Amino acid sequence: MKRIRSVVRGVGSYLPRRKLTNQDLEKLVETSHDWIVQRTGIEERHIAEEDETTSVLGIKAAEAALADAGLRADDIDLVICATSTPDYTFPSTATMIQTGIGMTHGAAFDLQAVCTGFVYAVATADKFLQSGSHKRALVVGAETFSRILDWNDRTTCVLFGDGAGAIVLEAQEGEGTSCDRGVLTSHLRSDGRYRDKLYVDGGPGSTKTTGVLKMEGREVFKFAVGMVADVVQDAFKATGTSAEDLKWFVPHQANKRIITASADKLGIAPEKVVITVNKHGNTSAASIPLALDTARKDGRIKDGDLVMIEAIGGGFTWGSALIRW
Ligand code: UT7
């Protein structure tokens, strides 16, 4: 039966100018390049300067995605920005991106699901497009986690980086099979009982401050692989596809060990796994669109390829989306 699919028309990303290497971090906290690489796979990350706010990064990624799609701001009627590091408590970063790209119509809002934010935003945009209420969505993941890190805490400050990525989704009619282009299925989960494992210890409604990130890394690690595997299996089941059918596995980039353990558990061959955590660190909601843009621009992801995205983050939140490019 024919149905509306949300087809990827374009992808873009932007990284702040300044790079911070593991060697730079050795001068800030008691750590070593070897420890960081062995435990996480991270070699360097980009850190935003004062003038590079989340909306600034998001606007540049959005413009790149529009250019890649061959579209203009006028062609978009929905902007969703996944972020946990908005420029302000309000207005939303999405409305700032909307203005930044020169768009004065349609709707724009932020979505907060921490590192799972981009998967949540893709799923949400897909529902809007499927309903027929909107035609083309700009889905942005933009973060400046460097602003909410305790730079004296070696257990967290070495892990994160800043950046932004975006895709343009367009409503197109499909045949209703897994051969269609577009978002084929999405699966979102959350469980607030795990709040204390990964959180920020401030906010406007509690401390009236921004707060800093706190994480029980080992605990998050313990849950991550199983949770990721569950939602990826859900996506395979819903579409009658399997690990063999996948062309690319583009997971949230938090830790290379989590990524390879998840791929291994799911029976996904290592050469199908896109890894950018070595160059970007963990950029939270920006990590997947940054990785998608990297793999599209270097020629790996091609039209028609079956691409699985998945993430786990604070909350806990976790989710997957299967996309035929
Ligand atoms: O994006 C949201 C989801 N977040 C994640 O997925 C993160 C999940 N967790 C992780 O990626 C890993 O747990 C970490 C990378 C955070 C830590 O790796 P680990 O293998 O779980 O190490 P650990 O926390 O068990 O720490 C091992 C040792 C500890 O020392 P002792 O207690 O064994 O003496 C730490 O104090 O490493 C020490 N350590 C460090 N040493 C050098 C912790 N941070 C550092 C550091 N440099 N930066």
Side-chain angles (χ1 to χ4, degrees), residues 29-33 35-36 38-42 114-116 145 153-160 197-198 213 215-222 224 252-258 282-284 287 311-314 316:
V29 285
E30 178 92 29
T31 192
S32 69
H33 172 71
W35 187 94
I36 301 172
Q38 272 169 24
R39 302 284 174 143
T40 71
I42 301 168
V114 203
C115 298
T116 320
F145 259 51
D153 177 6
R154 68 172 185 174
T155 68
T156 52
C157 77
V158 304
L159 303 174
F160 294 89
K197 308 272 180 236
L198 175 53
L213 184 146
M215 177 164 72
E216 289 178 36
R218 207 179 305 186
E219 285 288 296
V220 180
F221 198 122
K222 213 169 73 188
H252 168 50
Q253 308 282 320
N255 184 319
K256 196 174 170 196
R257 285 155 58 214
I258 297 178
N282 179 349
T283 58
S284 185
S287 89
I312 171 173
F316 288 150

Side-chain angles (χ1 to χ4, degrees), residues 21-276:
T21 63
N22 291 345
Q23 287 77 10
D24 296 330
L25 280 163
E26 284 174 0
K27 294 176 202 140
L28 290 179
V29 285
E30 178 92 29
T31 192
S32 69
H33 172 71
D34 290 347
W35 187 94
I36 301 172
V37 170
Q38 272 169 24
R39 302 284 174 143
T40 71
I42 301 168
E43 291 157 24
E44 58 186 34
R45 71 290 286 144
H46 292 247
I47 301 293
E49 304 282 5
E50 280 294 303
D51 62 337
E52 293 176 311
T53 62
T54 297
S55 70
V56 168
L57 305 183
I59 290 165
K60 291 196 189 283
E63 286 172 342
L66 281 174
D68 187 49
L71 294 169
R72 297 174 309 134
D74 281 353
D75 301 317
I76 304 295
D77 51 9
L78 179 67
V79 179
I80 304 179
C81 179
T83 188
S84 303
T85 45
D87 290 18
Y88 299 100
T89 302
F90 74 80
S92 69
T93 303
T95 55
M96 297 175 78
I97 294 172
Q98 180 190 28
T99 306
I101 62 170
M103 180 181 157
T104 52
H105 63 283
F109 62 90
D110 282 2
L111 189 155
Q112 210 269 53
V114 203
C115 298
T116 320
F118 187 74
V119 179
Y120 266 66
V122 165
T124 305
D126 181 40
K127 311 281 184 216
F128 271 76
L129 298 188
Q130 279 189 49
S131 77
S133 66
H134 292 74
K135 181 81 182 127
R136 286 192 204 93
L138 191 53
V139 183
V140 186
E143 301 277 21
T144 47
F145 259 51
S146 63
R147 311 277 215 257
I148 53 162
L149 294 177
D150 173 355
W151 285 97
N152 295 311
D153 177 6
R154 68 172 185 174
T155 68
T156 52
C157 77
V158 304
L159 303 174
F160 294 89
D162 302 332
I167 61 172
V168 177
L169 291 175
E170 179 178 86
Q172 291 182 13
E173 195 175 78
E175 297 301 322
T177 73
S178 64
C179 296
D180 287 348
R181 289 186 68 200
V183 178
L184 300 178
T185 190
S186 58
H187 299 265
L188 304 181
R189 300 282 308 277
S190 66
D191 189 338
R193 288 175 302 170
Y194 296 105
R195 169 185 176 274
D196 292 346
K197 308 272 180 236
L198 175 53
Y199 66 102
V200 169
D201 67 356
S206 53
T207 58
K208 299 183 211 161
T209 62
T210 308
V212 291
L213 184 146
K214 304 277 181 191
M215 177 164 72
E216 289 178 36
R218 207 179 305 186
E219 285 288 296
V220 180
F221 198 122
K222 213 169 73 188
F223 287 103
V225 178
M227 286 170 157
V228 159
D230 279 354
V231 281
V232 169
Q233 294 290 8
D234 287 345
F236 284 142
K237 254 183 255 151
T239 51
T241 57
S242 69
E244 283 83 62
D245 300 316
L246 271 195
K247 191 78 188 193
W248 302 108
F249 181 54
V250 188
H252 168 50
Q253 308 282 320
N255 184 319
K256 196 174 170 196
R257 285 155 58 214
I258 297 178
I259 294 172
T260 48
S262 307
D264 196 43
K265 188 171 165 107
L266 287 156
I268 298 168
E271 60 273 16
K272 294 180 175 178
V273 183
V274 175
I275 296 179
T276 49

